[in-house]
Amino acid sequence: MTQQQMAAAASPGPCLVLGGKTGMLGQALMTALAKAGHTAVAQGREDVDLTSRDALTAYLEAVKPGVVFNAVAYTQVDKAEDEPDDAARLNKTLPENLARLSAAMGFKLVHFSTDFVFDGKGQEPYEVDDPTGPLSVYGRTKLAGEQAIRSVNPPGWIICRTAWLFGPGRKNFITTILNLCRSRDTVNVVDDQIGSPTYTVDLALHAVQLLDAGASGLFHVVNAGEASWCELATEAVRLTGLPCKISPIPTSGYPTKAARPAWSVLSTAAFTAATGVTPRPWAKALRDYIFKDLQDFLEPQASRN
Ligand SMILES: NC(=O)c1ccc[n+]([C@@H]2O[C@H](COP(=O)([O-])OP(=O)(O)OC[C@H]3O[C@@H](n4cnc5c(N)ncnc54)[C@H](OP(=O)(O)O)[C@@H]3O)[C@@H](O)[C@H]2O)c1
């Protein structure tokens, strides 16, 4: 073995973040990995066609990652109802191919899934082994992706189910509401869907903590607490000081193509058991998001309380 080969064998390859250039979570993962001292490579569409197994294999052979974070997904929940094959290609086949390549090439796979794998009829925060029952194409294809990874079972796999993401780098529920509030006095928001709002910056930090703790398996990773979309919007508007009223409406007042779970609060007990870390409440995370990342929306009277 040459000296170079010995060095390559001794030092694990970089962390590769699929979706690291443009994805909301992908960009947060790039920052979190750098902060934790990991070398990270960001992937974007121009680098490889992720729907081609051959292209993916050649790309991974060239990058030689030690870990692959898969933050790529078909995330347009309503559009997925009309494009189930496209959704399945990214949400099921891509993680399945990654799991097979993980087993063959030896990198660790960290994948992300969703609270939409549940039917929303629970009354206690969902634990990782609670029965699933997705209501939409998006939820079904994401669940199929989880199942594919679990059945290939590559060494050290991690799946983080998460929910209701907000964070820098991409349009999300909070930026949509705040933009509407700039031009309207009142915005109607659904108040009978309850979930676990989550800051991508916290999720990325916790995913890296799972990796660094040597954890493996399925975890729920969300900020603490629960909220309706209406409560989340109300708190965002309060923090920015925008003169806009958030008005509660039922789901039936805002029909969407895909059905959503009415109640999908996730328990982070398995995550805390694996890492010793308890995620902070979503309202604290939201305040950081608004005051650190969304300066544009801040009015002089914005409340820091
Ligand atoms: N957002 C949420 O509220 C939420 C809730 C629960 C779970 N999750 C899960 O969390 C993960 C990250 O979600 P996110 O909100 O960060 O997603 P996102 O911001 O929508 O980013 C998706 C990424 O996938 C890439 N992508 C989409 N279609 C592609 C294709 N055909 N080929 C190559 N790349 C493609 C996008 O690239 P382009 O920018 O080039 O399109 C982007 O980088 C996903 O697994 C998602 O299912 C999200």
Side-chain angles (χ1 to χ4, degrees):
M1 221 189 221
T2 66
Q3 259 190 339
Q4 237 179 357
Q5 283 168 329
M6 271 163 33
S11 68
C15 294
L16 172 65
V17 180
L18 304 182
K21 289 185 180 166
T22 59
M24 184 163 53
L25 174 60
Q27 294 174 79
L29 282 166
M30 290 300 296
T31 307
L33 285 164
K35 272 192 190 158
H38 292 279
T39 307
V41 175
Q43 176 275 343
R45 281 180 199 248
E46 64 278 22
D47 298 313
V48 57
D49 176 3
L50 293 173
T51 63
S52 154
R53 184 169 171 173
D54 287 349
L56 177 64
T57 306
Y59 178 68
L60 293 173
E61 279 169 352
V63 176
K64 297 187 177 38
V67 185
V68 173
F69 287 81
N70 178 27
V72 161
Y74 187 110
T75 54
Q76 291 170 274
V77 176
D78 292 310
K79 206 169 163 202
E81 297 295 312
D82 296 324
E83 297 183 345
D85 293 343
D86 289 346
R89 252 189 292 280
L90 277 194
N91 294 349
K92 174 182 181 285
T93 311
L94 173 61
E96 183 168 23
N97 286 338
L98 286 170
R100 292 223 173 92
L101 290 165
S102 165
M105 295 168 69
F107 61 80
K108 258 193 177 181
L109 177 61
V110 183
H111 177 71
F112 295 88
S113 189
T114 171
D115 56 327
F116 282 22
V117 299
F118 292 114
D119 66 9
K121 294 186 183 126
Q123 284 168 350
E124 293 290 317
Y126 283 106
E127 301 292 348
V128 289
D129 45 11
D130 279 343
T132 51
L135 304 174
S136 62
V137 168
Y138 171 73
R140 279 193 289 279
T141 55
K142 291 293 293 184
L143 180 60
E146 288 184 12
Q147 289 165 339
I149 292 172
R150 296 175 77 161
S151 87
V152 175
N153 197 21
W157 62 269
I158 294 174
I159 298 174
C160 300
R161 282 193 193 132
T162 190
W164 292 35
L165 295 184
F166 59 85
R170 201 154 171 135
K171 182 173 171 265
N172 58 69
F173 173 76
I174 302 295
T175 54
T176 300
I177 291 293
L178 296 180
N179 275 318
L180 285 171
C181 280
R182 280 185 153 163
S183 56
R184 296 192 199 168
D185 297 336
T186 304
V187 174
N188 294 337
V189 183
V190 167
D191 76 339
D192 57 358
Q193 286 172 34
I194 315 285
S196 300
T198 300
Y199 188 24
T200 50
V201 172
D202 289 7
L203 168 60
L205 168 72
H206 295 328
V208 175
Q209 286 168 334
L210 277 169
L211 177 73
D212 288 346
S216 176
L218 175 62
F219 301 93
H220 290 169
V221 187
V222 290
N223 280 120
E226 59 183 71
S228 69
W229 291 113
C230 185
E231 285 167 329
L232 179 57
T234 302
E235 181 61 5
V237 170
R238 185 186 77 79
L239 289 167
T240 54
L242 287 168
C244 177
K245 182 174 160 14
I246 300 296
S247 197
I249 55 163
T251 297
S252 56
Y254 186 76
T256 53
K257 189 133 197 174
R260 271 113 172 122
W263 198 87
S264 60
V265 179
L266 301 182
S267 162
T268 54
F271 166 76
T272 299
T275 59
V277 174
T278 302
R280 62 180 168 162
W282 65 262
K284 281 199 170 160
L286 179 66
R287 189 162 52 209
D288 265 8
Y289 172 50
I290 286 180
F291 288 110
K292 288 186 183 162
D293 304 323
L294 285 188
Q295 294 296 332
D296 293 357
F297 286 99
L298 295 181
E299 301 284 302
Q301 74 275 22
S303 162
R304 283 172 189 270
N305 298 318

